């Protein structure tokens, strides 16, 4: 057709997709070569996931064609058929995984490609998968139940699933959003190796640093349109950010903290119930008014326990958790919310929103029983809609309105919805658990600004994040989690990444010469 | 040229309605085949069925009489399934509700009808409700599956009722029939029209449907039930008391089934026996599924199913074709709804273009 080189694997031509009045993709074209890693960038709701869903056949485009390399050069892919996309060699790893949790990794990889009862071929399948593992470095225990795997391992199973079906093109929708930095580095090694063998990769991410490091080419979407295309080697962060947002992203600045009284205090708190990644051992620290405390640590070292306690989902097995000086004895999220605690869940799709309920419902959900949204058992729909309307405007939640179902929001916009829900009522204690995971640079800056504004208003804030840059941008004081114990690393000034890194690895504070 | 299946992003309300309606129609069309084999003309047979179900005031009354317990057991299933609480025990809850009505209304209390009828109904509601609250508590405490518990309880309850009506509750004046002592006249639900069997239970059912509909859309409890049913983890995180909400749902669901039992003893039979219900509890599940779990839809679906049964009986008397046709229509409707719900998720596309 056009001037597409012979090594082209894939071309999308003038793809347009509308959802009612909203144009999610507007005449987007792109091409992908063998061995190329293409990064797809854009604000939350720019249409990245939608475009990939069209390529993979989950959605049907209103206009445009998808062509994939076949026997006779580029062949048109029938729209709306994931089966056809798979057969043509397009593999996709979704933003939210799609594995059968109670089956083994091996069964998941084979699922859908052959009858599971064909025992005879199980060994052949296994050999093929083991060969892929050896070539790519995607190490997983194939016989473990998927439910018992870590997020990183689940993702490797998803990638193996695509490669097992002889994918020529691999789409990864925000693969690093859920990974620890170490796991992300491992993924990049794998991707480079796969690309060297001729695989074409489309990689969606909001982290400019990793995009520049891993990709060959960058395509930027803005509000459904193609805003520009850059060669990674010569691009710089500023230029990309400006392309994405259409204007320069302002730096977030903050004045030194003026800590006040302790609003929440952990006094030798131990937690044993629940999953082991929640457990805590004699943890003591305070969250003070007007101060942001950053909790650093490799995921799974007790952060989940701290979050569960502050969220009101658990109570200490030993020790005391004090809110405004009074001990909390009952796990009661509603009481905490009423007392002015704002909680952002780590897994927002799972714990944050009820997908089939509306944006307005999801914004009101924590306070439906309060007079703000109901009177003697009757919902005040008008108040709910009004609150939703103002939240949508104030937090720039991109959606069709208060009545839109939450499941239709893009990943980043769900996070903005949750922010709107918890920050609007001027909370006194804030738990921000991975507050900017999956948010675009502009939204990230906006969230940081709002958290700092809340601190300046006198709120006590705890930020849990795996992103050290984020922690250094926000924290006035650092705590570090290691195997269920918390070390106070002291004020952020005078701390650097390597000190925090050593504490995360379990070296004691005393050994590092820190005051506690 | 080919047909293909496409994933739908959204399914509209109209489409949902269409699927339920279409399912009923397709089921009737499919049943034409066995009717033909039985040597009847499907058109005549269906004509007779419609006549038998709606053709006269008497027919209409019989249909609505039959629909009354189905509305209540249908609502019992619909409200529970909304919250992902799998109550398969409406049959047992119906019997327990009926038993409570007999215990309270056969002489224990002496009151005028205006007091006794509500008392009997409340007793039946609470008794049926407890029959669902207990399995739900067991599920919450010990993680036992409510499907199994409620299903098995059906058999236990019916055997228990059988024991009672042949023993302690047996009516000495019933000439040996295994039936309970009768309800007092003051406890009986008044008929809606003279000489017709329709009774006030029908009004109860319709009111219950409207109350549920309003509850789901307008009240905090309805909001919480939806949240718990759609995403338990998010509901818990947001502070909705998940277990408590489930127990409320259990009470309402079991209670509605209990009311169905009250209606049958106090509105139709006047006494309790082990053949009070020809499976109203199970048919309620079909009704709720046909209605897509919507309360108002449940009323319509219940009348449809009742009409099929009543109409088939009368058709069978006129033509000699077996009234098992009714069971066929009901079973096929359910299957068609299940197939139809597939079209809520996918759409069939016709491709004119040849593959490039
Ligand atoms: N099925 C749908 N119905 C209506 N609107 C939809 C649907 N799917 C997506 N949208 C809307 O289309 C827009 C693009 O969404 P998309 O998920 O593609 O964004 P994205 O670029 O992946 O964002 P993020 O970075 O937040 O994941 C959003 O405004 C979203 O609300
Ligand atoms: Mg997305």
């Amino acid at each position: 057709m056009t001037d597409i080189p012979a090594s082209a694997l894939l071309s999308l031509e003038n793809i347009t997709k509308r959802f009612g009045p909203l144009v999610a993709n507007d005449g987007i074209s792109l091409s992908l070569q063998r061995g190329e890693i293409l990064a797809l960038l854009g604000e939350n709701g720019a249409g990245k996931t939608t475009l990939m869903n069209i390529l993979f056949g989950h959605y049907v485009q209103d206009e445009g064609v998808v062509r994939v390399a076949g026997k006779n050069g580029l062949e048109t892919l029938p729209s709306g058929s994931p089966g056809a996309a798979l057969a043509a060699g397009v593999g996709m790893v979704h933003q939210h995984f799609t594995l059968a949790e109670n089956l083994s990794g091996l069964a998941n990889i084979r699922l859908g490609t052959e009858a599971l009862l064909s025992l005879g071929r199980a060994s052949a399948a296994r050999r093929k998968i083991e060969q892929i593992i050896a070539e790519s470095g995607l190490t997983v225990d194939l016989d473990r139940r998927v439910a018992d795997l870590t997020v990183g391992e689940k993702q490797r199973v998803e990638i193996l699933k695509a490669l097992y079906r002889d994918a020529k093109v691999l789409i990864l929708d925000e693969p690093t959003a859920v990974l620890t930095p170490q796991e992300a580095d491992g993924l990049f090694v794998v991707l480079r190796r796969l690309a060297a063998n001729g695989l074409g990769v489309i990689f969606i991410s909001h982290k400019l640093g990793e995009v520049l490091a891993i990709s060959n080419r960058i395509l930027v979407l803005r509000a459904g349109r193609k805003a520009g295309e850059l060669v990674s080697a010569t691009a710089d962060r500023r230029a990309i950010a400006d392309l994405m947002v259409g204007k320069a992203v302002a730096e977030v600045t903050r004045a030194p903290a003026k800590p006040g009284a302790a609003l929440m205090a952990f006094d030798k708190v131990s937690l044993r119930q629940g999953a082991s990644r929640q457990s805590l051992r004699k943890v003591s620290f305070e969250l003070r008014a007007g101060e942001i405390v950053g909790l650093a640590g490799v995921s799974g070292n007790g952060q989940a326990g701290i979050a569960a306690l502050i969220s009101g989902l658990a109570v200490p097995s030993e020790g005391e958790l004090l809110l405004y000086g009074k001990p909390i004895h009952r796990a009661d999220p509603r009481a905490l919310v009423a007392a002015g605690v704002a909680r952002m869940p780590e897994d927002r799709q799972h714990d944050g929103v009820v997908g089939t309920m509306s944006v307005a419902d999801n914004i009101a959900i924590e306070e439906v029983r309060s007079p703000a949204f109901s009177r003697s058992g009757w919902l005040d729909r008008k108040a709910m809609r009004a609150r939703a309307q103002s939240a949508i405007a104030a937090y720039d939640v991109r959606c069709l309105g208060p009545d839109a179902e939450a499941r239709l929001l893009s990943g980043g916009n769900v996070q903005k919805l949750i922010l709107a829900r918890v920050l609007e009522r001027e909370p006194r204690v804030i738990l921000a658990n991975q507050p900017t995971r999956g948010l675009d640079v502009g939204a990230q800056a906006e969230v940081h600004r709002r958290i700092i504004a809340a601190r300046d208003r006198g709120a006590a804030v705890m930020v849990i994040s795996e992103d050290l840059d984020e922690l250094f941008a926000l924290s006035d004081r650092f705590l570090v989690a290691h195997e269920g114990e918390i070390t106070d690393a002291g004020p952020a000034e005078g701390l650097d990444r390597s000190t925090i890194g050593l504490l995360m690895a379990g070296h004691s504070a005393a050994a590092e010469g820190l005051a506690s | 040229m080919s047909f293909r299946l496409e994933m739908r992003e959204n399914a509209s309300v109209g489409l949902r309605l269409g699927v339920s309606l279409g399912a009923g129609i397709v089921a009737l069309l499919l049943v034409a085949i066995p009717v033909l084999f039985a040597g009847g003309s499907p058109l005549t047979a269906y004509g007779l069925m419609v006549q038998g179900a709606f053709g006269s005031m008497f027919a209409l009354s019989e249909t609505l009489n039959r629909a009354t317990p189905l509305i209540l057991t249908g609502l019992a299933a619909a409200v529970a399934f909304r919250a992902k609480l799998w109550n398969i025990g409406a049959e047992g809850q119906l019997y327990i509700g009926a038993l409570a009505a007999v215990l309270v209304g056969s002489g224990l209390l002496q009151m005028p009808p205006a007091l006794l009828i509500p008392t009997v109904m409340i007793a039946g509601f609470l008794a049926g409700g407890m029959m669902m609250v207990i399995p739900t508590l067991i599920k919450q405490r010990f993680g036992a599956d409510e499907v199994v518990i409620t299903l098995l309880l059906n058999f236990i309850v019916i055997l228990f009722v059988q024991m009672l009506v042949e023993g302690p509750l047996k009516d000495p004046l019933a000439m040996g029939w295994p039936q309970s002592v009768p309800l007092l006249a003051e406890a009986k639900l008044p008929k809606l029209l003279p000489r017709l069997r329709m009774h006030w239970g029908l009004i109860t059912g319709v009111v219950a449907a409207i109350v549920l509909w309003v509850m789901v859309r307008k009240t905090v409890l309805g909001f919480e039930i939806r949240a718990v049913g759609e995403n338990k983890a998010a509901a818990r995180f947001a502070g909705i008391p998940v277990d408590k909400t489930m127990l409320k749902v259990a009470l309402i669901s079991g209670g509605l089934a209990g009311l169905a039992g009250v209606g049958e003893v106090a509105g139709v039979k006047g006494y309790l026996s082990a053949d009070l219900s020809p499976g109203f509890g199970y048919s309620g599940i079909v009704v709720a599924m046909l209605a897509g779990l919507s309360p108002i839809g449940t009323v319509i679906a219940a009348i449809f199913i009742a009409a099929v049964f009543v109409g088939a009986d009368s058709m069978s008397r006129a033509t000699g074709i077996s009234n098992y046709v009714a069971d066929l229509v009901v079973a096929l409707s359910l299957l068609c709804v299940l197939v139809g719900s597939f079209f809520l998720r996918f759409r069939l596309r016709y491709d004119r273009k040849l593959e490039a």
Side-chain angles (χ1 to χ4, degrees):
Chain A
M1 237 199 102
T2 34
D3 52 334
I4 291 163
S7 63
L9 272 179
L10 176 77
S11 96
L12 304 188
E13 290 158 24
N14 288 313
I15 302 285
T16 296
K17 175 73 185 171
R18 297 182 198 91
F19 294 113
L22 183 118
V23 188
N25 287 162
D26 190 356
I28 299 175
S29 300
L30 73 79
S31 68
L32 184 70
Q33 319 294 319
R34 277 174 59 83
E36 185 180 38
I37 301 182
L38 172 69
L40 199 54
L41 278 180
E43 286 183 284
N44 297 123
K48 305 176 295 292
T49 300
T50 304
L51 187 66
M52 292 304 106
N53 275 332
I54 289 171
L55 168 54
F56 190 62
H58 272 313
Y59 286 170
V60 184
Q61 66 270 36
D62 296 311
E63 287 159 38
V65 275
V66 177
R67 290 173 204 279
V68 182
K71 284 193 274 314
N72 318 311
L74 288 177
E75 296 170 2
T76 304
L77 192 69
S79 51
S81 162
L86 277 172
V90 178
M92 180 153 176
V93 178
H94 290 272
Q95 217 162 345
H96 318 290
F97 297 151
T98 54
L99 298 171
E101 295 267 318
N102 52 354
L103 294 181
S104 71
L106 182 69
N108 262 288
I109 293 167
R110 295 176 63 207
L111 199 64
T113 55
E114 57 211 284
L116 272 177
L117 292 177
S118 58
L119 289 173
R121 283 192 283 145
S123 60
R126 190 181 196 102
R127 265 200 304 283
K128 178 170 172 186
I129 296 167
E130 275 166 357
Q131 193 189 344
I132 299 173
I133 292 179
E135 278 168 15
S136 63
L138 288 159
T139 40
V140 217
D141 182 348
L142 288 173
D143 300 311
R144 289 262 297 276
R145 259 176 13 125
V146 164
D148 301 331
L149 299 179
T150 66
V151 178
E153 287 167 325
K154 284 183 196 172
Q155 189 174 65
R156 272 174 254 156
V157 172
E158 287 270 17
I159 298 175
L160 282 171
K161 202 164 119 187
L163 297 179
Y164 180 67
R165 291 155 193 221
D166 302 314
K168 289 179 283 197
V169 177
L170 183 65
I171 307 166
L172 298 158
D173 196 350
E174 298 193 33
T176 55
V178 291
L179 298 184
T180 64
Q182 298 77 6
E183 284 173 320
D185 290 338
L187 174 68
F188 295 150
V189 173
V190 169
L191 289 184
R192 284 207 191 88
R193 213 192 278 188
L194 290 171
N197 290 338
L199 189 79
V201 178
I202 301 181
F203 176 86
I204 300 178
S205 171
H206 290 292
K207 299 180 187 166
L208 298 188
E210 66 184 34
V211 161
L212 286 170
I214 182 92
S215 69
N216 305 111
R217 203 150 52 87
I218 299 171
L219 189 92
V220 181
L221 299 186
R222 182 167 66 224
R225 296 229 178 86
K226 190 153 122 181
E229 230 177 304
L230 304 162
V231 175
S232 310
T234 58
D236 73 284
R237 280 164 182 259
R238 267 231 99 76
I240 306 172
D242 293 355
L243 256 186
M244 275 169 61
V245 208
K247 56 178 196 275
V249 179
E251 290 278 336
V252 180
T253 52
R254 64 196 177 97
K258 295 188 221 60
L263 298 185
M264 189 178 249
F266 282 62
D267 185 12
K268 302 202 191 68
V269 168
S270 297
L271 186 65
R272 274 184 302 269
Q273 72 179 69
S276 64
R277 58 184 226 105
Q278 282 198 350
S279 61
L280 296 173
R281 274 182 298 176
K282 289 206 190 312
V283 167
S284 298
F285 63 87
E286 288 179 342
L287 301 179
R288 288 192 288 246
E291 187 183 52
I292 300 177
V293 173
L295 178 59
V298 177
S299 166
N301 275 282
Q303 294 96 324
I306 304 257
L309 287 166
I310 302 182
S311 300
L313 298 176
V315 283
S317 322
E318 270 164 41
E320 285 207 314
L321 173 60
L322 301 138
L323 180 64
Y324 314 139
K326 288 200 240 11
I328 297 177
H329 294 301
R330 248 160 39 86
D332 184 353
R334 218 168 236 173
L336 279 187
V337 168
V341 179
R343 308 141 327 125
M344 300 174 206
E346 176 179 8
D347 184 343
R348 53 181 170 253
Q349 299 289 347
H350 190 253
D351 299 323
V353 290
V354 181
T356 47
M357 291 172 81
S358 69
V359 169
D361 286 352
N362 275 291
I363 287 177
I365 191 167
E366 289 186 337
E367 294 174 281
V368 268
R369 286 218 177 249
S370 86
F373 296 120
S374 65
R375 216 137 292 138
S376 49
W378 295 90
L379 293 174
D380 185 348
R381 287 265 172 217
K382 223 153 122 207
M384 288 167 68
R385 285 187 58 107
R387 163 72 91 82
Q389 217 106 40
S390 72
I392 288 170
Y395 289 78
D396 189 24
V397 183
R398 310 262 166 97
C399 64
L400 289 174
D403 298 324
E405 283 183 31
R407 73 187 167 93
L408 299 178
L409 264 57
S410 78
N413 280 300
V414 170
Q415 182 72 340
K416 294 194 213 161
L417 184 159
I418 292 169
L419 278 167
R421 168 165 94 201
V422 302
L423 291 186
E424 265 308 272
R425 27 166 220 261
E426 312 226 320
R428 298 181 64 196
V429 176
I430 299 173
L431 166 69
N433 200 351
Q434 315 294 345
T436 60
R437 184 180 271 179
L439 290 196
D440 65 56
V441 274
Q444 252 173 45
E446 189 55 34
V447 171
H448 287 179
R449 243 191 303 277
R450 287 190 190 270
I451 290 177
I452 292 165
R455 175 203 75 170
D456 292 344
R457 217 190 53 232
V461 185
M462 162 160 270
V463 178
I464 304 180
S465 177
E466 278 169 29
D467 181 349
L468 277 183
D469 291 333
E470 168 158 69
L471 286 178
F472 273 101
L474 288 174
S475 311
D476 301 312
R477 197 153 55 86
F478 266 91
L479 299 178
V480 181
H482 179 70
E483 292 187 347
E485 292 181 18
I486 303 287
T487 311
D488 190 341
E493 297 87 63
L495 283 176
D496 55 27
R497 300 175 70 102
S498 60
T499 326
I500 298 290
L502 283 171
L503 288 171
M504 280 165 63
H507 298 266
S508 75
E512 305 313 318
L514 290 167
S516 56
Chain B
M1 269 185 273
S2 63
F3 283 105
R4 280 187 302 102
L5 283 176
E6 246 173 50
M7 201 98 77
R8 254 179 225 282
E9 292 108 40
N10 304 306
S12 67
V13 181
L15 187 69
R16 283 168 201 282
L17 253 156
V19 161
S20 291
L21 220 66
I25 293 170
V26 171
L28 287 171
L29 288 179
L30 286 175
V31 172
I33 299 169
V35 169
L36 276 174
F37 273 107
S41 138
L43 269 179
T44 332
Y46 287 145
L48 284 168
M49 276 176 75
V50 172
Q51 213 168 19
F54 302 109
S56 63
M57 210 46 212
F58 172 77
L60 186 64
S61 157
E62 282 305 296
T63 301
L64 292 178
N65 185 45
R66 186 79 174 232
T68 301
L70 291 178
I71 292 173
L72 287 163
T73 54
L75 291 174
V79 68
F81 290 5
R82 272 272 169 119
K84 301 240 159 72
L85 180 66
W86 307 113
N87 177 7
I88 314 295
E91 188 75 5
Q93 291 143 19
L94 181 151
Y95 273 100
I96 288 290
L99 176 63
V102 168
L103 289 179
V104 173
S106 61
L108 180 69
L109 301 172
Q110 302 285 349
M111 293 190 237
L115 286 178
L116 192 53
I117 292 174
T119 309
V120 163
M121 289 176 77
I122 291 170
F125 183 92
L126 290 178
M130 287 327 286
M131 278 306 281
M132 190 57 214
V133 166
I134 292 166
T136 309
L137 275 174
I138 295 176
K139 173 195 166 101
Q140 287 171 1
R141 276 289 144 73
F142 308 108
D145 188 23
E146 78 272 29
V147 172
V148 177
I149 306 179
T150 54
L151 182 65
L152 293 181
L153 270 177
N154 287 341
F155 302 104
I156 295 172
V157 167
I158 291 174
L159 288 171
F160 179 62
V161 164
Q162 207 155 12
M163 183 194 87
L164 289 179
V165 297
E166 291 187 15
L169 275 183
K170 187 166 179 172
D171 184 0
L173 304 176
M175 296 183 300
W177 290 105
Q179 62 186 51
S180 76
V181 286
L183 286 187
L184 300 176
E186 291 85 354
K188 292 207 179 130
L189 299 178
K191 303 288 177 203
L192 284 174
L193 291 170
R195 286 190 306 281
L196 293 175
R197 290 215 293 170
M198 285 193 291
H199 56 86
W200 271 83
L202 178 65
I203 309 291
T204 314
V206 173
V207 169
I210 295 169
V211 168
L212 276 188
W213 181 73
V214 171
M215 185 196 80
V216 168
R217 312 184 128 228
K218 308 250 182 228
T219 69
V220 175
L221 178 60
F223 183 102
E224 293 178 339
I225 291 175
R226 276 196 297 147
V228 169
E230 311 279 0
N231 184 346
K232 211 170 269 180
R236 180 169 289 129
F237 186 87
I240 292 174
V242 173
D243 283 356
K244 230 161 122 191
T245 306
M246 283 297 210
L247 289 174
K248 290 180 195 167
V249 171
L251 180 67
I252 295 172
S253 171
L256 288 167
L259 278 183
V262 174
E264 289 311 281
V265 284
V268 187
K269 290 214 164 167
Y271 55 83
L272 174 62
S273 61
D275 61 356
L276 182 72
S277 156
F280 288 134
Y282 301 106
S283 306
I285 296 170
V286 181
V287 167
M289 297 297 288
L290 269 178
L293 307 188
S294 120
I296 304 300
T298 299
V299 175
I300 300 167
I303 295 175
F304 169 73
I305 300 275
V308 168
F309 276 111
V310 173
D313 275 343
S314 126
M315 184 269 296
S316 146
R317 278 194 297 276
T319 61
I321 298 171
S322 160
N323 62 359
Y324 279 128
V325 164
D327 291 304
L328 259 182
V329 174
V330 171
L332 281 168
S333 306
L334 181 59
L335 281 180
C336 290
V337 161
L338 295 179
V339 173
S341 59
F342 176 82
F343 288 100
L344 292 177
R345 296 197 47 222
F346 298 93
R347 82 163 60 89
L348 207 55
R349 267 264 270 243
Y350 176 66
D351 263 350
R352 271 153 290 128
K353 284 176 288 188
L354 287 168
E355 298 284 297

